[in-house]
Amino acid sequence: MKQRILLLFTVIALISCKREQKNSSSDWTQISNRTQFKEHDGLLELKSGNFTYSFKQNQTPFKKIILLNASMAGYISELGAEDMIIGVSSPEYIYSEKIQNLLKEGKIQNVGSEQKYDVEKIISLKPDAIFTNYIASFDNAYQLLKNNGIQVIFLDEYMEQSPLEKTAYIKLFGEFFGKEKESQAKYEEVEKNYSELKKLALKAKEKPVVLANEMYGSVWYLPGGKTSVANYISDANASYIMKDNKDEKSLTMSFEEVYAKSAGVQYWVNAGSHTSKKEMLGMNPFYGKLDVFSKGKIYTIAGKEKQKANDFFESGAVRADLILKDYIKIFHPELLPEYQLTYMKELQ
């Protein structure tokens, strides 16, 4: 009898071990294909692009951080963690009113720009971590910071082309700041809203044709068919002129190439930050040749802009639901009769 009981316990133990092994190998929280994190054995591990990190329990949550990219401020603001920021670069590109007030009060320091970081100032501030996109030309500066015991964390949120994957970075910031529940709740809120909006868009009777972005010099940087812009347009139940393209990056085209694809276009979105059609035409007379310029509707991303700062690139990095809502309002206004645009603005 004892042997049978012992055998039963042994079998249960083996099954439990197998379950534990299975869990430990699959408990990565997947932000996207390029970014994942997990907690185990008192460690927080992060895979971000080509970089890997391992943080001990006494290293997180962070109390003092520096941001070298304005877009990351959106995640901090959504978590109400602005007081943890002690330094930012290029503050003129940050939209958040609270962060700007903290800058005026001297509680957040200006640590330079993407042309040149003030490395000595950064070291003197003694941050727990620095968050930035990786820029190869700054390798020497990064190494100097690391040599002085400063943790530099490279994130690729700007490369994500799925709107909700870009939103999901809030879960990573929640992990770093001890705000796991708040970040998970915020992600689930945005995800739920986004899903409901996609379903609403499918009720539209028409599927308008859409053009995006604008020219810089002689080149039109047209979003590829798998970019975030293309995904938003598709989820808003509209037909993007490059929908059959498979690129996750912008395509470089001449005006003539875009003109050849522009027949039937009813909406032109993400047309820079122009203030009027007249100003837009003054910058590039070729735009007047497009039917959509005179017969369609044109929208910029200047709905929440203050001088050089644009909230589309800040809170918009998190609030994929509000961006999608803007596009649905533009393409199918009858579906959201009471809604006022958040990030977009119609050009007159």
Side-chain angles (χ1 to χ4, degrees), residues 175-329:
E175 196 74 23
F176 279 131
F177 300 144
K179 291 179 174 284
E180 296 90 345
K181 289 183 179 179
E182 296 96 319
S183 63
Q184 183 64 32
K186 175 57 68 174
Y187 176 77
E188 289 175 1
E189 175 196 338
V190 173
E191 183 184 42
K192 180 175 180 290
N193 291 346
Y194 198 96
S195 176
E196 290 175 353
L197 285 164
K198 275 184 70 174
K199 290 176 184 176
L200 176 66
L202 292 174
K203 295 181 180 180
K205 295 179 181 179
E206 296 183 0
K207 196 169 185 175
V209 182
V210 182
L211 170 67
N213 287 18
E214 62 168 337
M215 295 186 76
Y216 291 91
S218 60
V219 178
W220 195 308
Y221 292 93
L222 201 64
K226 297 298 180 182
T227 58
S228 60
V229 174
N231 287 327
Y232 273 124
I233 294 170
S234 174
D235 290 346
N237 196 22
S239 181
Y240 177 46
I241 64 167
M242 299 301 294
K243 66 180 185 298
D244 296 326
N245 177 269
K246 305 299 181 184
D247 285 297
E248 290 190 353
K249 60 183 180 181
S250 290
L251 311 168
T252 55
M253 292 191 176
S254 66
F255 175 81
E256 288 75 18
E257 288 175 303
V258 174
Y259 180 81
K261 298 176 180 294
S262 67
V265 168
Q266 296 153 274
Y267 294 92
W268 181 357
V269 298
N270 294 39
S273 299
H274 299 286
T275 57
S276 67
K277 285 187 176 182
K278 183 178 179 181
E279 183 239 313
M280 193 177 187
L281 198 60
M283 290 186 69
N284 194 326
F286 284 118
Y287 291 153
K289 296 183 178 182
L290 297 168
D291 283 347
V292 67
F293 191 86
S294 55
K295 300 176 184 177
K297 289 180 176 288
I298 303 174
Y299 290 84
T300 68
I301 52 172
K304 290 186 75 178
E305 199 172 43
K306 296 176 187 173
Q307 297 176 335
K308 293 183 178 180
N310 191 328
D311 203 30
F312 176 83
F313 300 107
E314 195 167 313
S315 72
V318 187
R319 297 305 305 267
D321 54 339
L322 293 181
I323 292 179
L324 180 61
K325 199 169 188 178
D326 272 10
Y327 283 124
I328 293 173
K329 174 68 175 183

Side-chain angles (χ1 to χ4, degrees), residues 11 51 64 82 91 125 144 149 182 208 268 273 280 294 301-302 347:
V11 170
F51 301 93
K64 300 189 302 178
E82 295 96 335
L125 288 171
L144 186 55
E182 296 96 319
W268 181 357
S273 299
M280 193 177 187
S294 55
I301 52 172
L347 272 189

Side-chain angles (χ1 to χ4, degrees), residues 73-98:
Y75 299 99
I76 313 298
S77 296
E78 284 289 341
L79 293 173
E82 295 96 335
D83 291 335
M84 296 182 184
I85 304 171
I86 59 171
V88 296
S89 71
S90 302
E92 66 272 21
Y93 291 104
I94 293 179
Y95 185 87
S96 164
E97 186 175 349
K98 183 168 183 180

